[in-house]
Amino acid sequence: MNAMTCTECGLLTDDTVVAGRVHAATGPGHTLYICRQCLPHTPPYPDDDLTTLARFQSWRENQ
């Protein structure tokens, strides 16, 4: 995976998970990423159920 910027802390890191997706009416949306350090204390973004499930599973695997 390429380095992504964490939506919460702004850290550029290779160790991110998808936090959510922003949909746009007039063009392509974009994906929000969150680093594993911010993951435990950041609530899920309002999003589709599959992304929320994937984020929970990723968090659970690392506990």
Side-chain angles (χ1 to χ4, degrees):
M1 177 182 216
N2 296 331
M4 299 294 178
T5 302
C6 175
T7 301
E8 292 297 312
C9 68
L11 180 70
L12 184 65
T13 179
D14 291 331
D15 193 21
T16 57
V17 294
V18 173
R21 291 186 173 82
V22 177
H23 302 282
T26 59
H30 62 276
T31 304
L32 302 173
Y33 295 94
I34 192 166
C35 70
R36 296 202 186 267
Q37 289 78 21
C38 292
L39 185 63
H41 58 268
T42 304
Y45 287 85
D47 200 37
D48 62 90
D49 291 336
L50 291 177
T51 301
T52 303
L53 178 60
R55 183 172 168 204
F56 174 74
Q57 288 172 336
S58 176
W59 173 81
R60 191 171 174 190
E61 288 171 0
N62 292 293
Q63 293 302 308

